[in-house]
Amino acid sequence: MIDEVIRTREQLVTQLIEMPDDLYNAQLNYSLAFLIEEFVIHDNEHKEQIVQFINKFHLE
């Protein structure tokens, strides 16, 4: 499952990199650039939760 998530994220990043700048920065309700930043922040919060969970078992 983790490998599938990684592949999906890599595909998303590839598509975002290839996206034209005018579409990437288009102002709708939120720009795509803003949403990507929010996703990164959100993912990092979950990453930290996972690291803390794993470290909990290494300390016991």
Side-chain angles (χ1 to χ4, degrees):
M1 187 165 133
I2 291 173
D3 290 339
E4 183 177 344
V5 170
I6 291 170
R7 278 192 305 274
T8 302
R9 287 297 174 124
E10 288 173 345
Q11 290 172 349
L12 175 61
V13 168
T14 298
Q15 290 176 358
L16 292 172
I17 289 170
E18 294 172 353
M19 185 174 289
D21 287 342
D22 59 331
L23 182 57
Y24 181 85
N25 291 307
Q27 291 290 325
L28 304 169
N29 288 333
Y30 296 100
S31 72
L32 186 54
F34 172 81
L35 292 174
I36 292 169
E37 183 177 341
E38 290 298 309
F39 278 123
V40 169
I41 292 168
H42 180 83
D43 286 352
N44 284 337
E45 290 172 358
H46 285 298
K47 179 181 173 184
E48 182 59 31
Q49 291 171 335
I50 292 167
V51 168
Q52 289 177 9
F53 179 80
I54 292 170
N55 286 340
K56 178 180 177 184
F57 288 101
H58 286 298
L59 297 175
E60 294 178 355

